[in-house]
Amino acid sequence: MEHILHDILHDLYAIDVQPIISRPDPQFGDYASNVALQIAKQVGKNPRQIAEEVVEKLRETGDFSEVTIAGPGFINVRLSAVNLMHKLQSAWSERYGSSDEGKGKKVIVEYPSPNMAKPYSVGHLRPGNQGWASKRLMEETGWTVVTDNHLGDYGAPLGIWITGFRHFSDEASLEKDGVYELGRVYIQTKKALKEEGERGETVLADEVQQWLLKYEADDQEAIEYSQRFNTISLEHIHAVMRRLGISTDYELGEAFFAPRGKEAVTKLLETGVATQNDDGSVIVPLDEYGFDVPLLVQKSNGAALYATTDLATILYREEVEKPDKVIYAVGAEQQFYFSQLFAMAKKLGIQTELVHLWFGVIDQLNDDGTREKMSSRKGVVLMEELLDQAEAKASAVVEGRDVSDEDVRKIALGAIKFNDFISDRRTNILFDWNSIFALSGFSGPYVQYAAVRVNKIVHEHGFGAPVIEAYDYESEKAIIVKLLEYPALVSAAARELEPHRIAGYLYELARDMNRYYEATPVATGSVTDEQKQARLGILSRVSHVFTHGLSILGIEVPVSM
Ligand code: ARG
């Protein structure tokens, strides 16, 4: 309704207003708007006259069974359910919700890009969820999508691992605990480095540097360490990603780009884009892009930095993939960094649209009711532990019912992932076990349950073979209106990269469905065959939209729950 009015006002008066819609007493209609009064001044006409012009256009759409004006210019409309059903029928396809808007264009989406030094932590839950949803949104709107896991596999971590392993660990422990041992060694060594620094010593720090230099000089022992540790870490990352149900096409990490980055820096120096400081470090000044801080692209000792590898990544993608857009799913704390990086890309003449898809942190509720960043409590919260806990909670939710392990896993993931989309990604989210599993709230399991219920009915009674003229669709009107909104919603969510809109929509659809069953029997009691076929026809479409929408969020519909 907002949509239609917005477009009519735009056509009539070339203005861009978000009309306020209310639900009047049903005797006046389904919707009411005082927009004619709202815009009278701006348009320079009296409200009554505006209302008349708008009403004429509303009638032309054929969507309404009744359009009237009340008082000084209130517009009341009643929707014609049958007309809406015809509209849905003609818009319908097996790909309902998908479009070709991005056809012929290529996007690279980068996620979850964890760091290899430590076990997968909840710090990379949002990059995975948001990155995956973005990939899905782009796919559903017809883009060619290439995904890349930009691993944090380069730099100090390797030196710290090797040094730490030699001092604080042994083969047996590594054998036994794998990546968790590596993570422990990493943390212990970081602590030891800090302590020696406070004492003014550099014994360990020198050792770390030495290993890094050895690695760069292709030293056999350093390479062997690196390969071994990386294999352990990578297997772990893949196992976690499999559990999360996410994957990528490529896995080109920082280590792959470091040598290319150094070459690129040399070129930037030659062309004068970058400048070398007296200490040997290299910067790219970005004053002309509004930054008084330049981007540091090489350390004084010649080592590559995060920005060096990202510089190379951008150049590599331009050459190999030639994307129209690149989406980086990385947390809010790197906003400044990415704005600098993108400014540097502009300076290099790169036209590709580079998007930092940022999001807030995950907070947790402490027992005393305070809220704090989830990973700050005990150092890190491990992703595998979180998933184990989620599966235990999901089992408890379906306790006593006949639900497969596979479905329990889907419910667990549904709860965790949906929580990522309950508000705009830029806000911090709260991780509260009770609300993420709330079967009566704005949660994944709530929507999944609604989808399971619809599927069960359709499974039992069929998809429906409705003859539209044979039924009035009045009790289904709200749901038909909702279904009609879906394709435009997916397009908008993809354009703005705002998957939370899908979550909000699915929640409303689930709520509407629950209300619907309360009032309307679908296939039981005294329903006529016309009613039954019509209602099943609506349900099978709802089923499609639930599955489609949830799959954008990386969530599957269980068979039962
Ligand atoms: N590994 C990084 C981190 O966890 C994220 C990498 C993001 N991608 C990039 N091209 N810089 O902080």
Side-chain angles (χ1 to χ4, degrees):
M1 185 66 210
E2 279 91 344
H3 250 86
I4 303 175
L5 264 182
H6 170 274
D7 293 352
I8 289 179
L9 294 169
H10 190 265
D11 289 350
L12 282 173
Y13 312 116
I15 55 172
D16 222 354
V17 284
Q18 284 316 317
I20 297 165
I21 307 293
S22 57
R23 305 294 304 256
D25 186 309
Q27 60 172 312
F28 300 117
D30 295 319
Y31 295 107
S33 177
N34 63 356
V35 72
L37 292 88
Q38 192 187 327
I39 63 170
K41 258 221 179 92
Q42 192 181 353
V43 171
K45 288 186 174 178
N46 80 49
R48 181 86 201 181
Q49 191 185 346
I50 294 173
E52 272 159 18
E53 287 167 359
V54 171
V55 160
E56 197 183 315
K57 291 279 178 198
L58 283 170
R59 290 198 178 116
E60 280 169 20
T61 64
D63 291 345
F64 308 101
S65 55
E66 204 182 297
V67 188
T68 54
I69 302 173
F74 296 109
I75 300 167
N76 290 323
V77 302
R78 203 181 289 284
L79 299 165
S80 152
V82 175
N83 283 353
L84 290 169
M85 188 57 209
H86 276 296
K87 218 174 175 174
L88 183 62
Q89 171 88 352
S90 55
W92 195 261
S93 77
E94 274 175 20
R95 294 180 65 234
Y96 192 71
S98 311
S99 69
D100 291 330
E101 286 167 10
K103 205 168 172 185
K105 288 190 285 185
K106 187 194 265 188
V107 59
I108 297 178
V109 191
E110 199 195 86
Y111 64 86
S113 313
N115 300 319
M116 302 202 25
K118 289 183 274 183
Y120 206 117
S121 87
V122 292
H124 286 88
L125 178 59
R126 295 207 84 183
N129 290 344
Q130 296 287 336
W132 184 263
S134 296
K135 155 199 147 82
R136 292 287 300 112
L137 280 171
M138 302 314 277
E139 281 172 351
E140 291 305 334
T141 48
W143 289 68
T144 300
V145 184
V146 175
T147 52
D148 189 14
N149 188 5
H150 192 79
L151 295 168
D153 55 358
Y154 179 75
L158 179 65
I160 294 173
W161 262 349
I162 303 178
T163 307
F165 180 70
R166 295 167 66 95
H167 285 268
F168 310 123
S169 185
D170 52 64
E171 291 297 335
S173 311
L174 185 62
E175 186 69 30
K176 185 163 154 281
D177 292 331
V179 75
Y180 292 99
E181 175 64 7
L182 287 177
R184 189 194 66 71
V185 165
Y186 182 81
I187 290 166
Q188 183 180 356
T189 313
K190 284 275 268 204
K191 197 167 154 235
L193 282 163
K194 194 171 159 229
E195 283 163 6
E196 85 164 9
E198 282 159 10
R199 292 194 303 270
E201 290 170 16
T202 61
V203 184
L204 277 179
D206 289 344
E207 209 177 315
V208 169
Q209 279 314 310
Q210 225 119 63
W211 280 110
L212 286 176
L213 290 175
K214 275 192 186 175
Y215 177 76
E216 301 223 345
D218 289 335
D219 173 85
Q220 198 50 37
E221 201 181 2
I223 289 175
E224 267 165 29
Y225 272 127
S226 151
Q227 281 170 349
R228 244 177 94 204
F229 296 161
N230 280 336
T231 306
I232 292 174
S233 180
L234 207 54
E235 274 172 9
H236 163 73
I237 287 170
H238 290 159
V240 172
M241 285 174 67
R242 261 197 308 278
R243 272 185 88 176
L244 285 169
I246 62 175
S247 57
T248 60
D249 302 322
Y250 295 109
E251 212 154 47
L252 298 177
E254 292 169 24
F256 174 82
F257 290 112
R260 289 175 168 77
K262 289 204 216 171
E263 281 168 34
V265 168
T266 310
K267 278 210 192 104
L268 293 191
L269 280 170
E270 281 164 19
T271 54
V273 173
T275 355
Q276 189 141 30
N277 293 324
D278 292 340
D279 67 357
S281 59
V282 180
I283 54 167
V284 176
L286 298 167
D287 313 53
E288 63 276 41
Y289 295 91
F291 293 91
D292 31 7
V293 201
L295 185 59
L296 189 62
V297 290
Q298 191 168 297
K299 274 205 217 173
S300 54
N301 65 2
L305 290 156
Y306 191 45
T308 322
T309 57
D310 266 325
L311 164 65
T313 310
I314 291 175
L315 296 173
Y316 178 86
R317 288 172 177 162
E318 286 300 308
E319 198 186 308
V320 178
E321 296 287 351
K322 301 180 183 60
D324 298 278
K325 198 200 248 292
V326 182
I327 298 170
Y328 299 76
V330 189
E333 46 320 325
Q334 294 190 30
Q335 260 176 298
F336 182 69
Y337 169 72
F338 277 106
S339 60
Q340 278 192 313
L341 183 70
F342 296 169
M344 173 169 73
K346 279 227 177 71
K347 187 164 173 165
L348 299 177
I350 287 161
Q351 310 273 319
T352 306
E353 185 191 356
L354 304 175
V355 182
H356 177 201
L357 183 93
W358 59 275
F359 31 81
V361 296
I362 304 179
D363 287 335
Q364 66 179 15
L365 265 191
N366 295 324
D367 294 338
D368 62 4
T370 54
R371 200 175 151 145
E372 74 178 327
K373 187 173 167 184
M374 198 170 189
S375 44
S376 63
R377 194 92 180 276
K378 291 177 285 177
V380 270
V381 177
L382 302 172
M383 196 64 217
E384 289 193 302
E385 276 177 13
L386 187 89
L387 289 169
D388 290 345
Q389 281 180 43
E391 283 172 19
K393 301 261 180 204
S395 288
V397 165
V398 298
E399 172 89 62
R401 269 172 273 165
D402 187 19
V403 176
S404 69
D405 290 349
E406 182 63 14
D407 280 350
V408 166
R409 201 186 56 82
K410 289 180 186 170
I411 298 164
L413 284 179
I416 292 181
K417 291 187 182 183
F418 197 88
N419 186 51
D420 227 274
F421 306 108
I422 56 173
S423 54
D424 186 297
R425 64 180 153 77
R426 300 158 190 93
T427 57
N428 292 356
I429 53 169
L430 183 64
F431 198 94
D432 168 18
W433 286 112
N434 288 332
S435 62
I436 71 173
F437 276 100
L439 277 174
S440 57
F442 187 11
S443 74
Y446 176 77
V447 177
Q448 283 176 318
Y449 189 76
V452 167
R453 193 171 174 187
V454 176
N455 289 352
K456 276 236 161 90
I457 299 173
V458 173
H459 189 74
E460 193 174 331
H461 300 281
F463 291 106
V467 180
I468 296 182
E469 288 71 19
Y471 181 62
D472 68 8
Y473 287 97
E474 281 303 324
S475 355
E476 287 73 25
K477 197 155 82 174
I479 290 167
I480 298 172
V481 170
K482 198 88 206 138
L483 291 175
L484 279 168
E485 285 170 16
Y486 186 64
L489 179 101
V490 176
S491 298
R495 252 191 331 269
E496 308 293 330
L497 291 174
E498 291 186 343
H500 73 279
R501 296 190 192 199
I502 307 277
Y505 173 92
L506 293 173
Y507 171 67
E508 286 165 16
L509 183 61
R511 209 191 40 200
D512 288 352
M513 283 310 294
N514 289 339
R515 279 192 196 137
Y516 175 70
Y517 298 124
E518 269 169 38
T520 322
V522 174
T524 51
S526 59
V527 287
T528 65
D529 195 53
E530 282 81 14
Q531 285 172 329
K532 182 171 159 181
Q533 296 309 324
R535 290 171 186 173
L536 287 171
I538 297 290
L539 257 58
S540 55
R541 287 177 176 166
V542 170
S543 162
H544 168 90
V545 169
F546 272 138
T547 303
H548 191 272
L550 284 171
S551 107
I552 290 177
L553 306 181
I555 298 173
E556 292 175 280
V557 180
V559 177
S560 50
M561 68 183 283

